Amino acid sequence: MSASDDPRRVHFQSPEYLVDRLDAIADLFDKDRTDLLVNAIREYIEDTAESKTFQNLVATKYYNGQLDFETVKQLVGAETAQQLRLLKADLEGEPFDLAAPDDVDIYDGDAGTVDPENVSDDVDER
């Protein structure tokens, strides 16, 4: 068990009817209330982290400097966080000052022009 897997006591208040229902479910499955809560929280976090809306929100806040990389990694996982970090670095970087190639004829000498006035809406019959 790693240090991050060590149990941590959490205290929170919940409506009584939810605790009663949780206890009834725990009794039904012969499980501990804490196990059910931990599983429910885990599933919620996994479902939320996979949501595109959530990932877009995390990305936006990360790009705006409202979240640091470690927090992003906790929220969306290491792989997605790394992708966001690379994209952010790319977005923040200076654009390359590259001149267009002048020794390449991309049209192979057959460049043509189109007069918009003479273009028909009909399908080209070839």
Side-chain angles (χ1 to χ4, degrees):
M1 182 182 277
S2 73
S4 65
D5 291 337
D6 290 341
R8 178 188 283 180
R9 180 172 297 278
V10 177
H11 176 80
F12 65 92
Q13 294 185 359
S14 172
E16 188 174 343
Y17 78 93
L18 287 178
V19 175
D20 291 342
R21 288 184 73 187
L22 180 64
D23 287 342
I25 293 170
D27 287 343
L28 182 67
F29 288 110
D30 196 29
K31 298 240 180 196
D32 184 75
R33 175 197 303 165
T34 299
D35 291 339
L36 293 180
L37 283 171
V38 169
N39 285 335
I41 292 168
R42 183 179 296 116
E43 286 181 23
Y44 175 81
I45 289 172
E46 288 171 0
D47 289 347
T48 300
E50 292 174 4
S51 159
K52 287 296 178 193
T53 302
F54 179 77
Q55 289 182 10
N56 288 341
L57 177 62
V58 170
T60 299
K61 290 190 176 276
Y62 178 57
Y63 296 148
N64 290 336
Q66 297 171 296
L67 293 175
D68 63 24
F69 178 74
E70 289 303 314
T71 302
V72 171
K73 196 161 65 170
Q74 287 179 338
L75 293 171
V76 295
E79 184 177 342
T80 300
Q82 184 62 22
Q83 291 170 351
L84 294 175
R85 178 163 52 181
L86 292 172
L87 183 55
K88 182 178 182 181
D90 190 34
L91 291 171
E92 290 175 345
E94 291 295 319
F96 294 116
D97 187 20
L98 300 174
D102 56 2
D103 61 342
V104 176
D105 182 4
I106 62 172
Y107 296 106
D108 196 25
D110 295 332
T113 60
V114 175
D115 182 0
E117 298 294 323
N118 295 331
V119 175
S120 168
D121 289 336
D122 296 337
V123 176
D124 185 32
E125 298 177 19
R126 290 186 187 178

